[in-house]
Amino acid sequence: MIEVVGLGKRYGRTTAVRDLSFTVRPGRVTGFLGPNGAGKSTTMRMILGLDRPSSGHALIDGTPYRELRHPLRKVGALLDARWVHPNRSARDHLRWLARTNRLPPGRVDEVLDQVGLTAVARKRAGGFSLGMAQRLGIASALLGDPEVLLFDEPVNGLDPEGIAWIRGLMRGLARQGRTVFVSSHLLSEMSQTADELIVIGQGKLISQSTVSEFVAAATEHTVRVRSPQVERLQKALVHKGATVEQDGATLVVGGLSSAEIGELAAAHGVVLHELNPQRGSLEEAYMRLTAGAVEFGTS
Amino acid sequence: MNLLAVERIKLFSTRSPWFCMIGALGLTVGFASILAIKSEHVSVGATQGMYLLGLMVVMVMSTLAVTTEYRFGTIRTTFQAVPRRTGALLAKTTVVALVAGLVGEVAAFGSLGAAKLLQPGAALSLSTAADWRAVAGSGLVYALAGVMAVAVGVLVRQSAGAVAILLVVPLLVENLVGLIPDLGAKIQPWLPFQAAGAFLRGTHEGAPYSPWGALAYFAVLAAVLLGAALVVAKKRDA
Amino acid sequence: MRLLNAERIKLLSTRSTWWCALLAVALPVLFALFYASQAGDFLTLNVGTTQSGYQFGLVLVMVLATVSITSEHRFGTIRGTYQAVPSRVPVLLAKAVLLAVLAGLIGELAAFGSLAMAHLVQPEVDLAVNTATEWREVAGVGLVYAVAAVLALAVGELLRQTAGAVALLLGYVLLAESAVREIPGVGEQVARWLPFFASRVFLGSAEGEDATVSAPYGPWAGLGLFAGTTLVLLALAAVVARRRDA
């Protein structure tokens, strides 16, 4: 389990992450969603003890990362697949990494086999394609057979086959009861992989929910209503707890279904000229949710 | 012990340290060989003529052992696997210092041995303490210089910058300071590589330290730099 | 012109260029301050010795020039450059021209800055630049910096690797050339034909320092030798750049 409590990070005058709190539970894939520059990588680096938080803290099963005795046995992470010396072989890279946490040397060949790199294990990592580098990064994350796994944008730049492989791998790891925390800036990707979603924008938490809750909430539709007795209808709708935006004879109503609105109008004897449910796409909803939270948005 | 093995694997699983070691040995032993072929009266001190060149190569190797980790991001992987950064960096320093010291000893005795082989008649036996220091002392100087180079690498994190500093200070700054008669002469013994040279080649009349004192001073400088590097690495974001 | 502009933007838009340039001017001037303040009975201050710290700038200009090309290889921007300008030799030449101009400018600033600094510290010493020799000693620094920058560019292109190129260049300039002299017999013969020794013959700083080695050629021939070596290296770099996969 990963607990993040009031985590914040400032670089000079810019705030990358502010007062972030959430919990990542075992046995499911938790997506970490947000646009580029939202603070996902910074948060992951702070969880892993690489960057020092300006405020708050992150705990792995109740312990700060830096106090873990053999961290790789507890937490495996893939932050950047290019963090490998190009002139060192894949096998040697894993060999030194295994030694740091006293992992049996046999583990190196096991994980190489698991990610399908056995054939190129003695080749220099600098010559690897992005897909192979990503596999090597995943091999280093799996090396200590950890209960907690963090992946930062693991499918970026991969071909469909590679993407499918990583999705399957993450689901499998979660099924084994591990905590799997995956970041992405693509909602479509997350909706296919994750069970739960933590959404951030501009370093702040936007929501934590299951994927289906998020989708329902994000695409929660509004209803366009046109009526000659718009004032009377609006009063009735607000009384029912709906949100109403007025634009001349047209109302955009949130919080009630079209059926409920129709019945309400009938009960109050209001004539309707139009009753039109509006449903946004998932991506649209996501963009709206993180809108203003987009750091490098094009306007 | 475990962390030492880690750093050993890291250092020897890439090519450039091997090139540097071979380069350092080739330059020093090669020069001593040429010298011995050309001159019948080659002395113990003369066989060590290229110690500085070998030292520079070893310092480049040592600093690259750190700066390449920063360049390729493996320092983050390292700190992720070993969150106690001081321990990880001390292990690296130890391995680099041991390797540098070994290269220094092989270079020194290799130079002497090559000269002996090529000019058997020359007086090349190590008879005095000064002779021993001039030859066997190389390893100590190389090891301490390796520590300094690791420390500079951690502080600068950048190959070009670290290499430039490590070459310019001993070869240019220290020599130019010597140009100035009064003040320069007073400062010069306290420059790190002048002190290392005084240990190997003996101190001049009026030097503020004995040869071993000069080495101790060199060691203190290395320790101070390393201390600064460890503090900085601990505080900094990886 | 278009190429020169592109290279100028690339060169001047990185921080390391500015840092190197700033230090390359500041360090020789600071050394002149230090030197002049200590000058007296045992340390002669004249036009030539105000330039004692010129090697600081030389080294930094060479680092600047090397990094300008090796960093392109490191970050892969060289591929973008070659995509935009497929003929590689003009790219290399544009870089060479630009670096030579920048390094020359840095050299003149450092040289005249050092002279002015020494004059400020010791106003009573006559530091007027009158003779051709004195002009060479001061204004020549810019020429030497310019040629050295192109030489460093060529080596950078050949090695494509920052640490290796910087180590090789600095080790060569600061140590290897004088180490050659130590080889008995041939050493002194060889040493007088080496490029950076020749550059010091041009600047007139070779005499005092290299008592054992004297040059069989004049100062301008020294610059010619230095520039000639550089051109050979640059040509080699151009050939290699054209043949190699980017």
Side-chain angles (χ1 to χ4, degrees):
Chain A
M1 189 162 79
I2 305 169
E3 286 165 275
V4 168
V5 185
L7 207 59
K9 179 74 184 175
R10 277 187 313 275
Y11 297 101
R13 249 181 271 161
T14 46
T15 303
V17 174
R18 72 185 79 197
D19 196 25
L20 202 56
S21 301
F22 58 79
T23 308
V24 185
R25 290 184 190 79
R28 67 192 86 173
V29 176
T30 304
F32 192 26
L33 187 66
N36 287 329
K40 301 187 297 291
S41 299
T42 308
T43 304
M44 284 193 156
R45 280 207 303 272
M46 287 193 284
I47 293 172
L48 293 168
L50 290 174
D51 286 9
R52 222 167 251 281
S54 312
S55 60
H57 58 268
L59 301 175
I60 310 283
D61 284 348
T63 311
Y65 188 90
R66 284 195 187 206
E67 286 167 26
L68 294 174
R69 204 172 127 63
H70 289 301
L72 295 189
R73 298 188 189 185
K74 190 89 184 169
V75 186
L78 164 63
L79 290 193
D80 188 329
R82 288 162 306 179
W83 289 349
V84 181
H85 194 298
N87 286 332
R88 195 176 278 138
S89 73
R91 199 164 176 281
D92 282 335
H93 177 74
L94 295 173
R95 230 158 50 85
W96 74 255
L97 203 53
R99 263 323 262 277
T100 56
N101 280 239
R102 295 179 192 273
L103 303 169
R107 264 310 275 171
V108 170
D109 294 314
E110 275 173 39
V111 290
L112 279 169
D113 191 49
Q114 199 177 347
V115 301
L117 285 180
T118 307
V120 291
R122 286 170 201 278
K123 297 253 163 62
R124 42 187 294 273
F128 280 11
S129 69
L130 182 61
M132 286 155 85
Q134 209 81 358
R135 280 169 190 263
L136 178 57
I138 286 173
S140 18
L142 298 177
L143 196 59
D145 194 19
E147 297 155 39
V148 178
L149 287 128
L150 282 80
F151 299 100
D152 194 8
E153 304 269 2
V155 301
N156 254 11
L158 291 190
D159 57 13
E161 194 193 348
I163 293 175
W165 177 74
I166 286 190
R167 279 186 194 148
L169 180 89
M170 290 190 296
R171 290 242 187 76
L173 290 166
R175 258 200 311 279
Q176 291 164 2
R178 298 178 212 256
T179 305
V180 182
F181 191 41
V182 198
S183 80
S184 174
H185 62 281
L186 295 174
L187 176 58
S188 54
E189 173 55 35
M190 284 292 94
S191 61
Q192 289 187 62
T193 321
D195 306 300
E196 201 167 314
L197 271 188
I198 291 166
V199 185
I200 66 168
Q202 277 192 336
K204 283 181 295 194
L205 186 71
I206 291 176
S207 73
Q208 174 166 14
S209 59
T210 66
V211 172
S212 46
E213 276 167 7
F214 177 78
V215 168
T219 58
E220 185 191 338
H221 53 257
T222 53
V223 182
R224 238 170 85 97
V225 185
R226 217 145 50 81
S227 165
Q229 295 142 289
V230 70
E231 248 97 85
R232 216 161 122 201
L233 180 62
Q234 185 172 14
K235 216 175 272 169
L237 286 167
V238 171
H239 189 70
K240 267 274 181 190
T243 59
V244 182
E245 279 173 53
Q246 190 186 352
D247 180 16
T250 310
L251 297 177
V252 179
V253 184
L256 289 179
S257 68
S258 49
E260 286 167 321
I261 295 168
E263 279 159 24
L264 194 69
H268 285 80
V270 173
V271 176
L272 294 183
H273 289 168
E274 184 186 343
L275 185 63
N276 189 9
Q278 313 271 303
R279 193 176 292 272
S281 78
L282 195 55
E283 290 296 335
E284 240 175 57
Y286 164 55
M287 301 243 282
R288 199 173 55 241
L289 258 176
T290 55
V294 180
E295 276 276 277
F296 308 101
T298 48
S299 57
Chain B
M1 261 345 267
N2 204 38
L3 290 178
L4 292 182
V6 169
E7 295 301 331
R8 193 202 66 224
I9 296 172
K10 271 198 233 172
L11 191 64
F12 292 118
S13 58
T14 60
R15 289 173 308 182
S16 66
W18 290 103
F19 290 150
C20 288
M21 283 185 275
I22 292 166
L25 293 178
L27 285 169
T28 48
V29 179
F31 171 78
S33 307
I34 296 172
L35 194 75
I37 292 168
K38 293 278 178 186
S39 158
E40 287 169 26
H41 308 292
V42 58
S43 67
V44 170
T47 62
Q48 306 300 314
M50 283 302 110
Y51 109 90
L52 196 57
L53 196 55
L55 185 68
M56 292 302 126
V57 177
V58 166
M59 280 174 46
V60 169
M61 175 198 83
S62 307
T63 205
L64 286 183
V66 186
T67 55
T68 52
E69 285 228 41
Y70 279 100
R71 169 170 170 193
F72 297 120
T74 49
I75 195 76
R76 300 198 185 92
T77 318
T78 302
F79 288 158
Q80 201 182 307
V82 189
R84 290 165 295 114
R85 298 182 182 181
T86 306
L89 290 175
L90 277 178
K92 184 184 281 297
T93 311
T94 308
V95 169
V96 168
L98 285 174
V99 171
L102 197 67
V103 172
E105 293 301 341
V106 175
F109 282 99
S111 298
L112 186 72
K116 262 187 180 162
L117 263 176
L118 294 163
Q119 203 63 257
L124 286 175
S125 56
L126 300 177
S127 43
T128 64
D131 284 345
W132 274 103
R133 227 179 35 238
V135 180
S138 267
L140 294 174
V141 171
Y142 275 51
L144 289 170
V147 172
M148 284 185 178
V150 168
V152 170
V154 172
L155 290 169
V156 178
R157 288 189 284 185
Q158 219 261 350
S159 299
V163 167
I165 289 172
L166 288 169
L167 295 187
V168 166
V169 168
L171 299 177
L172 188 56
V173 176
E174 295 201 359
N175 283 337
L176 281 178
V177 170
L179 276 184
I180 317 289
D182 273 349
L183 189 64
K186 269 185 221 128
I187 299 173
Q188 213 165 21
W190 302 108
L191 297 171
F193 291 86
Q194 299 294 325
F199 165 67
L200 291 174
R201 287 188 292 255
T203 44
H204 299 290
E205 192 78 25
Y209 39 49
S210 68
W212 286 98
L215 183 75
Y217 173 66
F218 191 59
V220 167
L221 288 180
V224 168
L225 268 179
L226 182 63
L230 292 176
V231 169
V232 168
K234 204 172 160 181
K235 289 202 167 168
R236 198 160 48 186
D237 287 340
Chain C
M1 232 28 238
R2 181 177 55 95
L3 272 180
L4 277 178
N5 273 327
E7 292 300 329
R8 180 182 51 93
I9 294 167
K10 263 196 279 183
L11 185 66
L12 299 184
S13 58
T14 56
R15 269 190 315 178
S16 66
T17 303
W18 289 102
W19 277 114
C20 279
L22 191 74
L23 282 174
V25 175
L27 288 181
V29 176
L30 279 177
F31 192 79
L33 165 74
F34 181 51
Y35 188 97
S37 67
Q38 296 297 315
D41 295 341
F42 300 103
L43 191 65
T44 34
L45 182 63
N46 55 35
V47 171
T49 55
T50 59
Q51 305 301 316
S52 301
Y54 90 99
Q55 277 202 311
F56 281 116
L58 181 74
V59 164
L60 281 159
V61 158
M62 289 175 73
V63 171
L64 183 159
T66 314
V67 172
S68 79
I69 180 74
T70 54
S71 64
E72 281 223 41
H73 284 287
R74 169 177 166 189
F75 296 115
T77 50
I78 195 77
R79 295 190 198 101
T81 304
Y82 287 159
Q83 252 172 327
V85 189
S87 50
R88 299 180 183 183
V89 174
V91 172
L92 196 63
L93 289 181
K95 272 191 198 297
V97 170
L98 191 73
L99 284 169
V101 170
L102 180 67
L105 208 65
I106 292 171
E108 297 306 339
L109 278 174
F112 286 97
S114 299
L115 189 71
M117 180 58 86
H119 180 67
L120 270 175
V121 176
Q122 300 254 11
E124 66 283 3
V125 177
D126 173 28
L127 289 177
V129 181
N130 297 317
T131 64
T133 308
E134 285 170 341
W135 274 108
R136 210 175 57 234
E137 284 169 345
V138 181
V141 169
L143 288 176
V144 169
Y145 279 20
V147 175
V150 176
L151 187 142
L153 170 75
V155 172
E157 173 62 35
L158 288 168
L159 294 188
R160 289 191 286 182
Q161 219 264 345
T162 310
V166 169
L168 186 72
L169 282 166
L170 298 196
Y172 179 80
V173 177
L174 299 175
L175 188 57
E177 274 203 2
S178 51
V180 167
R181 223 175 290 156
E182 306 294 319
I183 300 170
V186 290
E188 289 167 18
Q189 288 296 321
V190 176
R192 63 182 64 162
W193 298 103
L194 294 176
F196 284 87
F197 177 77
S199 79
R200 288 200 298 279
V201 171
F202 170 66
L203 289 177
S205 57
E207 294 133 35
E209 152 206 5
D210 313 309
T212 53
V213 183
S214 60
Y217 47 79
W220 287 98
L223 184 69
L225 179 57
F226 187 40
T229 316
T230 299
L231 281 181
V232 170
L233 280 172
L234 186 65
L236 202 65
V239 170
V240 170
R242 219 162 65 163
R243 292 210 175 160
R244 192 158 54 188
D245 293 335

